[in-house]
Amino acid sequence: MGTSKYSPEFRADAVALYRATPGGTYASVAKDLGVNHETLRTWVRDAEQAARPGAGEASAMERENRQLRARVKELELEREILRRAAKYFGGRDQLVSRFQFVDDHRGAFGVKRLCRMLGVSRSGFYRWLAGAGARAERARADGELAAWITRIHAESDGTYGAPRVTAELHDAGVRVNHKRVARVMRVWGIVGLHLRKKVRTTIPEPSTTPVPDLLRRDFTAAEPNTKYVGDITYLPIGGGQFLYLATVLDLCSKRLVGWSIADHMRTELVTDALKAAAATRGASGLRGAVFHSDNGAQYASKEFAKVCADLGVIRSRGAVGTSADNAAAESFNATMKRETLQGRRRWPGAREARLAVFRWATRYNTRRRHSGIGQTSPIAYEQRSVTLTTAA
Protein backbone atom coordinates (compact mmCIF):
# COMPACT_ATOMS: atom_id res chain seq x y z
CA MET A 1 0.00 0.00 0.00
CA GLY A 2 1.48 3.39 -1.02
CA THR A 3 2.00 6.24 1.36
CA SER A 4 -0.82 8.14 -0.38
CA LYS A 5 -3.25 5.78 1.37
CA TYR A 6 -2.28 7.17 4.76
CA SER A 7 -3.56 10.48 6.08
CA PRO A 8 -1.11 13.23 7.18
CA GLU A 9 -2.35 12.72 10.74
CA PHE A 10 -1.51 8.99 10.62
CA ARG A 11 1.99 9.69 9.25
CA ALA A 12 2.62 12.35 11.90
CA ASP A 13 1.47 10.01 14.68
CA ALA A 14 3.64 7.21 13.26
CA VAL A 15 6.73 9.46 13.30
CA ALA A 16 5.93 10.57 16.85
CA LEU A 17 5.51 6.94 17.95
CA TYR A 18 8.89 5.97 16.43
CA ARG A 19 10.64 8.85 18.18
CA ALA A 20 8.94 8.01 21.48
CA THR A 21 9.91 4.30 21.36
CA PRO A 22 13.25 3.79 23.17
CA GLY A 23 15.38 1.29 21.32
CA GLY A 24 12.70 0.87 18.68
CA THR A 25 13.76 0.10 15.13
CA TYR A 26 12.01 1.03 11.93
CA ALA A 27 11.12 -2.63 11.45
CA SER A 28 9.63 -3.16 14.93
CA VAL A 29 7.58 0.04 14.98
CA ALA A 30 6.44 -0.39 11.39
CA LYS A 31 5.33 -3.96 12.17
CA ASP A 32 3.12 -2.71 15.00
CA LEU A 33 1.58 -0.12 12.70
CA GLY A 34 1.09 -2.53 9.81
CA VAL A 35 3.23 -0.51 7.35
CA ASN A 36 6.45 -1.18 5.44
CA HIS A 37 9.58 -0.27 7.40
CA GLU A 38 10.98 1.67 4.43
CA THR A 39 7.75 3.67 4.31
CA LEU A 40 8.19 4.58 7.97
CA ARG A 41 11.84 5.47 7.33
CA THR A 42 10.73 7.83 4.54
CA TRP A 43 8.17 9.52 6.81
CA VAL A 44 10.80 10.09 9.51
CA ARG A 45 13.33 11.44 7.01
CA ASP A 46 10.74 13.82 5.51
CA ALA A 47 9.80 15.06 8.97
CA GLU A 48 13.46 15.71 9.83
CA GLN A 49 14.03 17.61 6.58
CA ALA A 50 10.92 19.70 7.17
CA ALA A 51 12.18 20.63 10.63
CA ARG A 52 15.74 21.49 9.52
CA PRO A 53 16.37 25.27 9.68
CA GLY A 54 17.76 27.01 6.60
CA ALA A 55 21.37 28.11 6.55
CA GLY A 56 22.59 31.69 6.24
CA GLU A 57 20.96 35.02 6.91
CA ALA A 58 17.38 35.30 5.81
CA SER A 59 16.76 37.58 2.87
CA ALA A 60 14.05 40.19 2.65
CA MET A 61 11.92 37.75 0.70
CA GLU A 62 12.40 35.14 3.39
CA ARG A 63 11.34 37.61 6.07
CA GLU A 64 8.28 38.49 4.02
CA ASN A 65 7.49 34.81 3.65
CA ARG A 66 7.78 34.33 7.38
CA GLN A 67 5.35 37.21 7.92
CA LEU A 68 2.95 35.71 5.41
CA ARG A 69 3.21 32.31 7.07
CA ALA A 70 2.54 33.94 10.43
CA ARG A 71 -0.54 35.63 9.01
CA VAL A 72 -1.74 32.36 7.47
CA LYS A 73 -1.22 30.64 10.81
CA GLU A 74 -3.23 33.36 12.54
CA LEU A 75 -6.04 32.95 10.02
CA GLU A 76 -5.98 29.19 10.51
CA LEU A 77 -6.23 29.69 14.28
CA GLU A 78 -9.19 32.01 13.80
CA ARG A 79 -10.86 29.49 11.50
CA GLU A 80 -10.28 26.74 14.07
CA ILE A 81 -11.80 28.95 16.78
CA LEU A 82 -14.89 29.56 14.66
CA ARG A 83 -15.17 25.83 13.86
CA ARG A 84 -15.03 24.88 17.52
CA ALA A 85 -17.42 27.66 18.48
CA ALA A 86 -19.99 26.49 15.93
CA LYS A 87 -19.99 23.02 17.51
CA TYR A 88 -19.77 24.33 21.06
CA PHE A 89 -22.76 26.65 20.98
CA GLY A 90 -25.02 24.28 19.07
CA GLY A 91 -27.61 26.94 18.28
CA ARG A 92 -27.34 28.81 21.57
CA ASP A 93 -25.24 31.94 21.94
CA GLN A 94 -25.81 33.24 25.44
CA LEU A 95 -23.20 35.55 26.91
CA VAL A 96 -22.29 33.05 29.63
CA SER A 97 -21.81 30.39 26.95
CA ARG A 98 -19.29 32.61 25.18
CA PHE A 99 -17.45 33.25 28.44
CA GLN A 100 -17.38 29.50 29.12
CA PHE A 101 -16.01 28.90 25.63
CA VAL A 102 -13.20 31.39 26.30
CA ASP A 103 -12.41 29.67 29.61
CA ASP A 104 -12.41 26.22 28.01
CA HIS A 105 -10.11 27.21 25.14
CA ARG A 106 -7.89 29.98 26.52
CA GLY A 107 -4.99 27.57 27.03
CA ALA A 108 -4.93 26.85 23.29
CA PHE A 109 -5.73 30.27 21.81
CA GLY A 110 -5.33 32.93 24.52
CA VAL A 111 -7.97 35.13 26.15
CA LYS A 112 -7.31 38.23 24.03
CA ARG A 113 -7.77 36.48 20.69
CA LEU A 114 -10.84 34.53 21.85
CA CYS A 115 -12.59 37.60 23.26
CA ARG A 116 -11.92 39.52 20.05
CA MET A 117 -13.26 36.67 17.91
CA LEU A 118 -16.41 36.20 20.02
CA GLY A 119 -17.12 39.90 20.49
CA VAL A 120 -16.92 39.96 24.29
CA SER A 121 -14.81 42.17 26.54
CA ARG A 122 -11.88 40.79 28.46
CA SER A 123 -12.96 42.73 31.55
CA GLY A 124 -16.39 41.11 31.34
CA PHE A 125 -14.80 37.69 31.01
CA TYR A 126 -12.60 38.22 34.05
CA ARG A 127 -15.61 39.46 36.07
CA TRP A 128 -17.46 36.31 35.05
CA LEU A 129 -14.42 34.25 36.02
CA ALA A 130 -14.29 35.94 39.42
CA GLY A 131 -17.88 34.86 40.04
CA ALA A 132 -17.02 31.17 39.76
CA GLY A 133 -17.27 30.75 43.53
CA ALA A 134 -20.81 32.12 43.64
CA ARG A 135 -21.86 29.91 40.76
CA ALA A 136 -20.36 26.89 42.49
CA GLU A 137 -22.34 27.73 45.63
CA ARG A 138 -25.55 27.99 43.60
CA ALA A 139 -24.76 24.64 41.98
CA ARG A 140 -24.22 23.08 45.42
CA ALA A 141 -27.56 24.50 46.65
CA ASP A 142 -29.29 23.20 43.51
CA GLY A 143 -27.80 19.78 44.20
CA GLU A 144 -29.26 19.73 47.70
CA LEU A 145 -32.63 20.85 46.34
CA ALA A 146 -32.47 18.12 43.69
CA ALA A 147 -32.02 15.53 46.44
CA TRP A 148 -35.19 16.79 48.15
CA ILE A 149 -37.09 16.78 44.85
CA THR A 150 -35.89 13.28 43.95
CA ARG A 151 -37.15 11.90 47.25
CA ILE A 152 -40.55 13.61 46.90
CA HIS A 153 -40.83 12.48 43.29
CA ALA A 154 -40.08 8.87 44.25
CA GLU A 155 -42.60 8.93 47.12
CA SER A 156 -45.27 10.04 44.63
CA ASP A 157 -44.47 7.06 42.39
CA GLY A 158 -43.07 9.46 39.82
CA THR A 159 -46.34 11.34 39.33
CA TYR A 160 -45.63 14.78 40.86
CA GLY A 161 -44.63 17.67 38.63
CA ALA A 162 -43.14 21.02 39.69
CA PRO A 163 -46.32 22.53 41.26
CA ARG A 164 -46.98 19.59 43.61
CA VAL A 165 -43.29 19.15 44.39
CA THR A 166 -43.15 22.85 45.33
CA ALA A 167 -46.13 22.41 47.64
CA GLU A 168 -44.49 19.43 49.34
CA LEU A 169 -41.31 21.45 49.85
CA HIS A 170 -43.24 24.32 51.37
CA ASP A 171 -44.97 21.93 53.79
CA ALA A 172 -41.52 20.64 54.77
CA GLY A 173 -40.41 24.18 55.57
CA VAL A 174 -38.27 24.67 52.45
CA ARG A 175 -38.79 28.15 51.05
CA VAL A 176 -38.33 27.91 47.30
CA ASN A 177 -39.90 29.43 44.19
CA HIS A 178 -41.80 27.09 41.86
CA LYS A 179 -39.78 28.39 38.90
CA ARG A 180 -36.57 27.25 40.56
CA VAL A 181 -38.09 23.84 41.26
CA ALA A 182 -39.08 23.52 37.61
CA ARG A 183 -35.59 24.52 36.50
CA VAL A 184 -33.88 22.02 38.79
CA MET A 185 -36.25 19.25 37.72
CA ARG A 186 -35.52 20.05 34.08
CA VAL A 187 -31.74 20.04 34.59
CA TRP A 188 -31.79 16.77 36.58
CA GLY A 189 -34.24 15.09 34.22
CA ILE A 190 -37.00 14.63 36.82
CA VAL A 191 -40.37 14.51 35.03
CA GLY A 192 -43.83 14.21 36.48
CA LEU A 193 -46.68 12.15 35.01
CA HIS A 194 -48.84 13.98 32.45
CA LEU A 195 -52.38 12.65 32.77
CA ARG A 196 -53.64 14.25 29.58
CA LYS A 197 -51.81 13.89 26.34
CA LYS A 198 -50.85 17.19 24.78
CA VAL A 199 -51.61 17.86 21.15
CA ARG A 200 -48.34 18.51 19.37
CA THR A 201 -48.23 20.65 16.26
CA THR A 202 -44.50 20.27 15.62
CA ILE A 203 -42.28 17.26 14.95
CA PRO A 204 -40.47 16.13 18.14
CA GLU A 205 -36.75 16.69 18.27
CA PRO A 206 -34.68 13.54 17.62
CA SER A 207 -33.38 13.72 21.18
CA THR A 208 -36.93 13.24 22.51
CA THR A 209 -37.86 10.44 20.10
CA PRO A 210 -37.65 6.97 21.73
CA VAL A 211 -34.84 4.82 20.32
CA PRO A 212 -35.45 1.04 20.48
CA ASP A 213 -32.96 -1.61 21.54
CA LEU A 214 -32.37 -3.45 18.26
CA LEU A 215 -29.66 -5.77 19.61
CA ARG A 216 -31.31 -7.20 22.73
CA ARG A 217 -27.85 -8.19 24.00
CA ASP A 218 -27.11 -10.14 20.84
CA PHE A 219 -23.62 -8.84 20.11
CA THR A 220 -23.07 -10.88 16.95
CA ALA A 221 -23.34 -10.04 13.27
CA ALA A 222 -23.28 -12.20 10.16
CA GLU A 223 -21.39 -9.67 8.00
CA PRO A 224 -19.06 -6.73 8.58
CA ASN A 225 -20.45 -3.19 8.42
CA THR A 226 -23.94 -4.18 9.57
CA LYS A 227 -23.94 -3.82 13.37
CA TYR A 228 -21.77 -1.59 15.55
CA VAL A 229 -21.49 -0.70 19.23
CA GLY A 230 -19.88 2.33 20.82
CA ASP A 231 -19.11 3.82 24.19
CA ILE A 232 -17.06 6.50 25.97
CA THR A 233 -14.27 5.64 28.40
CA TYR A 234 -11.84 7.81 30.35
CA LEU A 235 -8.08 7.76 29.97
CA PRO A 236 -6.37 8.77 33.26
CA ILE A 237 -3.31 10.99 32.87
CA GLY A 238 -0.99 12.79 35.29
CA GLY A 239 -2.17 15.50 37.64
CA GLY A 240 -5.58 13.95 38.20
CA GLN A 241 -6.71 14.88 34.67
CA PHE A 242 -8.45 12.76 32.05
CA LEU A 243 -8.79 12.33 28.33
CA TYR A 244 -11.88 10.68 26.90
CA LEU A 245 -12.08 8.03 24.17
CA ALA A 246 -15.15 7.33 22.04
CA THR A 247 -15.17 4.09 20.03
CA VAL A 248 -17.07 2.50 17.13
CA LEU A 249 -16.66 -1.32 17.05
CA ASP A 250 -17.85 -3.68 14.31
CA LEU A 251 -19.63 -6.63 15.97
CA CYS A 252 -18.83 -9.05 13.14
CA SER A 253 -15.10 -8.51 12.63
CA LYS A 254 -14.45 -6.89 16.06
CA ARG A 255 -12.63 -4.12 14.16
CA LEU A 256 -12.23 -0.72 15.79
CA VAL A 257 -13.51 1.16 12.77
CA GLY A 258 -13.48 4.64 14.26
CA TRP A 259 -12.41 6.42 17.40
CA SER A 260 -11.93 9.91 18.79
CA ILE A 261 -9.90 11.25 21.74
CA ALA A 262 -10.52 14.63 23.40
CA ASP A 263 -10.19 16.40 26.72
CA HIS A 264 -13.98 16.76 27.03
CA MET A 265 -17.15 14.67 26.80
CA ARG A 266 -19.27 16.93 24.60
CA THR A 267 -21.32 15.43 21.78
CA GLU A 268 -18.63 16.15 19.18
CA LEU A 269 -16.52 13.43 20.84
CA VAL A 270 -18.94 10.69 19.73
CA THR A 271 -19.92 12.30 16.42
CA ASP A 272 -16.24 12.60 15.44
CA ALA A 273 -15.77 8.88 16.17
CA LEU A 274 -18.80 7.96 14.06
CA LYS A 275 -17.64 10.18 11.18
CA ALA A 276 -14.19 8.56 11.36
CA ALA A 277 -15.83 5.13 11.08
CA ALA A 278 -17.82 6.25 8.03
CA ALA A 279 -14.62 7.53 6.40
CA THR A 280 -12.88 4.21 7.10
CA ARG A 281 -15.65 2.29 5.37
CA GLY A 282 -15.13 4.32 2.19
CA ALA A 283 -17.78 4.99 -0.43
CA SER A 284 -20.50 2.90 1.21
CA GLY A 285 -19.87 4.47 4.60
CA LEU A 286 -22.16 3.23 7.38
CA ARG A 287 -25.42 3.55 5.46
CA GLY A 288 -27.94 0.98 6.62
CA ALA A 289 -25.82 -0.19 9.57
CA VAL A 290 -27.09 -0.30 13.17
CA PHE A 291 -25.16 1.63 15.81
CA HIS A 292 -25.91 0.64 19.42
CA SER A 293 -24.97 2.66 22.50
CA ASP A 294 -26.01 3.36 26.05
CA ASN A 295 -28.29 6.24 27.05
CA GLY A 296 -25.53 8.76 27.75
CA ALA A 297 -26.38 12.38 27.08
CA GLN A 298 -24.05 12.49 24.08
CA TYR A 299 -25.78 9.59 22.31
CA ALA A 300 -29.25 10.91 23.20
CA SER A 301 -28.51 14.41 21.87
CA LYS A 302 -30.12 16.07 18.88
CA GLU A 303 -26.71 16.64 17.29
CA PHE A 304 -25.85 12.92 17.39
CA ALA A 305 -29.24 12.00 15.94
CA LYS A 306 -28.64 14.40 13.04
CA VAL A 307 -25.19 12.96 12.28
CA CYS A 308 -26.67 9.44 12.30
CA ALA A 309 -29.40 10.56 9.90
CA ASP A 310 -26.85 12.21 7.60
CA LEU A 311 -24.74 9.03 7.54
CA GLY A 312 -27.74 6.72 7.13
CA VAL A 313 -27.07 5.01 10.47
CA ILE A 314 -29.89 3.26 12.34
CA ARG A 315 -29.74 4.13 16.05
CA SER A 316 -30.19 1.58 18.84
CA ARG A 317 -29.95 2.12 22.61
CA GLY A 318 -30.15 -0.14 25.63
CA ALA A 319 -32.19 0.41 28.76
CA VAL A 320 -31.33 3.25 31.14
CA GLY A 321 -28.94 2.19 33.88
CA THR A 322 -28.29 -1.29 32.45
CA SER A 323 -24.63 -1.75 31.54
CA ALA A 324 -25.21 -5.29 30.25
CA ASP A 325 -27.11 -3.85 27.29
CA ASN A 326 -23.84 -2.44 25.96
CA ALA A 327 -21.49 -5.09 27.34
CA ALA A 328 -19.52 -5.58 24.10
CA ALA A 329 -18.39 -1.95 23.98
CA GLU A 330 -17.58 -1.87 27.70
CA SER A 331 -15.60 -5.11 27.43
CA PHE A 332 -13.57 -3.67 24.56
CA ASN A 333 -12.76 -0.52 26.55
CA ALA A 334 -11.71 -2.57 29.56
CA THR A 335 -9.40 -4.71 27.40
CA MET A 336 -7.84 -1.63 25.79
CA LYS A 337 -7.05 0.03 29.12
CA ARG A 338 -5.80 -3.19 30.67
CA GLU A 339 -3.41 -3.86 27.81
CA THR A 340 -2.16 -0.28 27.41
CA LEU A 341 -1.78 0.67 31.07
CA GLN A 342 -0.46 -2.78 32.06
CA GLY A 343 -0.99 -2.31 35.78
CA ARG A 344 -0.20 1.42 35.93
CA ARG A 345 -2.78 3.80 37.35
CA ARG A 346 -2.35 6.49 34.69
CA TRP A 347 -0.22 7.80 31.84
CA PRO A 348 2.35 10.54 32.55
CA GLY A 349 0.62 12.96 30.21
CA ALA A 350 -1.83 13.46 27.35
CA ARG A 351 0.75 12.84 24.60
CA GLU A 352 1.76 9.48 26.08
CA ALA A 353 -1.87 8.44 26.41
CA ARG A 354 -2.70 9.37 22.82
CA LEU A 355 0.33 7.55 21.42
CA ALA A 356 -0.39 4.46 23.52
CA VAL A 357 -4.00 4.27 22.30
CA PHE A 358 -2.94 4.97 18.71
CA ARG A 359 -0.36 2.20 18.76
CA TRP A 360 -2.66 -0.31 20.47
CA ALA A 361 -5.64 0.45 18.22
CA THR A 362 -3.54 0.07 15.06
CA ARG A 363 -1.97 -3.16 16.32
CA TYR A 364 -5.37 -4.43 17.50
CA ASN A 365 -6.84 -4.04 14.02
CA THR A 366 -3.87 -5.35 12.03
CA ARG A 367 -2.11 -7.95 14.21
CA ARG A 368 -3.85 -8.78 17.49
CA ARG A 369 -5.58 -12.16 17.34
CA HIS A 370 -9.18 -12.32 18.54
CA SER A 371 -10.69 -15.52 19.87
CA GLY A 372 -14.17 -14.57 18.67
CA ILE A 373 -13.09 -14.56 15.00
CA GLY A 374 -10.94 -17.67 14.87
CA GLN A 375 -7.76 -16.19 16.35
CA THR A 376 -7.26 -13.78 13.44
CA SER A 377 -6.94 -10.02 13.42
CA PRO A 378 -10.05 -7.94 12.60
CA ILE A 379 -8.74 -6.63 9.28
CA ALA A 380 -7.56 -10.09 8.22
CA TYR A 381 -10.99 -11.46 9.08
CA GLU A 382 -12.70 -8.76 6.99
CA GLN A 383 -10.39 -9.40 4.04
CA ARG A 384 -11.14 -13.12 4.28
CA SER A 385 -14.87 -12.38 4.43
CA VAL A 386 -14.64 -10.33 1.23
CA THR A 387 -12.67 -13.09 -0.49
CA LEU A 388 -15.22 -15.74 0.48
CA THR A 389 -18.13 -13.55 -0.62
CA THR A 390 -16.48 -12.87 -3.99
CA ALA A 391 -15.77 -16.56 -4.49
CA ALA A 392 -19.34 -17.49 -3.71
Side-chain angles (χ1 to χ4, degrees):
M1 184 178 292
T3 58
S4 61
K5 299 295 184 179
Y6 298 94
S7 67
E9 292 79 9
F10 184 95
R11 294 196 293 270
D13 284 341
V15 171
L17 179 61
Y18 170 78
R19 291 172 173 171
T21 304
T25 64
Y26 287 113
S28 64
V29 175
K31 188 175 182 181
D32 280 345
L33 296 177
V35 302
N36 185 276
H37 69 281
E38 287 299 332
T39 299
L40 178 60
R41 189 193 303 274
T42 300
W43 293 346
V44 174
R45 184 177 63 249
D46 291 345
E48 290 173 349
Q49 291 176 351
R52 186 176 298 124
E57 183 178 356
S59 65
M61 183 176 292
E62 289 173 335
R63 288 194 296 271
E64 183 178 353
N65 286 340
R66 283 199 299 270
Q67 293 172 355
L68 289 174
R69 285 194 295 270
R71 178 55 181 158
V72 169
K73 184 177 180 180
E74 178 67 20
L75 291 174
E76 288 175 346
L77 285 174
E78 291 181 357
R79 184 177 64 180
E80 178 64 14
I81 291 171
L82 293 175
R83 185 188 70 82
R84 295 191 186 188
K87 291 185 177 182
Y88 187 96
F89 295 127
R92 71 189 194 284
D93 189 20
Q94 300 174 3
L95 184 61
V96 293
S97 298
R98 281 180 275 172
F99 285 156
Q100 187 64 58
F101 180 84
V102 173
D103 191 32
D104 288 346
H105 296 83
R106 58 179 175 167
F109 302 107
V111 172
K112 183 178 180 180
R113 179 187 288 112
L114 287 167
C115 288
R116 173 173 57 80
M117 292 290 297
L118 296 180
V120 297
S121 68
R122 280 186 287 169
S123 60
F125 166 71
Y126 286 117
R127 283 196 300 271
W128 174 85
L129 202 61
R135 291 194 299 276
E137 176 59 26
R138 287 196 296 271
R140 184 198 61 78
D142 282 352
E144 292 181 352
L145 179 59
W148 275 88
I149 294 173
T150 300
R151 184 166 62 252
I152 293 172
H153 188 258
E155 291 173 352
S156 71
D157 293 331
T159 60
Y160 278 9
R164 288 187 173 87
V165 169
T166 304
E168 289 285 336
L169 288 168
H170 287 173
D171 286 347
V174 180
R175 299 295 94 188
V176 62
N177 186 285
H178 74 279
K179 292 182 179 179
R180 184 184 173 200
V181 172
R183 176 179 60 81
V184 171
M185 290 182 68
R186 184 169 59 253
V187 171
W188 263 262
I190 305 171
V191 182
L193 178 66
H194 299 283
L195 297 181
R196 284 180 286 188
K197 185 177 180 180
K198 294 183 178 180
V199 177
R200 297 184 180 272
T201 58
T202 57
I203 300 174
E205 295 290 347
S207 59
T208 61
T209 304
V211 175
D213 182 352
L214 301 178
L215 299 190
R216 299 291 180 181
R217 303 187 184 181
D218 176 14
F219 301 115
T220 61
E223 298 177 2
N225 200 24
T226 57
K227 291 163 67 175
Y228 293 89
V229 293
D231 197 10
I232 298 174
T233 190
Y234 69 94
L235 305 174
I237 59 179
Q241 302 298 310
F242 299 93
L243 293 179
Y244 300 93
L245 169 69
T247 54
V248 179
L249 187 71
D250 191 306
L251 285 177
C252 176
S253 65
K254 316 304 179 186
R255 180 178 180 179
L256 180 60
V257 184
W259 76 88
S260 175
I261 299 177
D263 58 358
H264 61 78
M265 286 201 301
R266 292 190 294 274
T267 302
E268 65 183 275
L269 176 67
V270 296
T271 56
D272 285 350
L274 198 64
K275 291 175 183 177
T280 299
R281 286 309 188 191
S284 61
L286 303 178
R287 191 159 301 279
V290 172
F291 178 82
H292 182 83
S293 69
D294 60 21
N295 280 273
Q298 299 84 358
Y299 294 110
S301 68
K302 180 174 65 175
E303 181 183 352
F304 183 76
K306 183 180 184 304
V307 171
C308 287
D310 293 342
L311 297 176
V313 173
I314 302 169
R315 290 182 294 154
S316 170
R317 291 208 299 265
V320 176
T322 305
S323 60
D325 284 355
N326 202 27
E330 295 194 359
S331 175
F332 172 86
N333 288 337
T335 299
M336 182 276 299
K337 286 201 285 189
R338 183 175 64 251
E339 295 187 3
T340 52
L341 283 169
Q342 296 184 354
R344 294 173 297 171
R345 297 178 63 88
R346 61 183 60 85
W347 285 279
R351 180 175 181 272
E352 291 81 358
R354 288 177 182 271
L355 286 176
V357 172
F358 168 71
R359 178 174 188 167
W360 185 89
T362 307
R363 188 176 185 276
Y364 170 88
N365 280 333
T366 59
R367 294 183 57 200
R368 186 182 183 278
R369 299 180 184 275
H370 199 293
S371 60
I373 50 175
Q375 297 296 350
T376 62
S377 71
I379 288 182
Y381 181 84
E382 288 191 353
Q383 291 172 343
R384 189 177 68 182
S385 298
V386 171
T387 302
L388 292 175
T389 301
T390 303

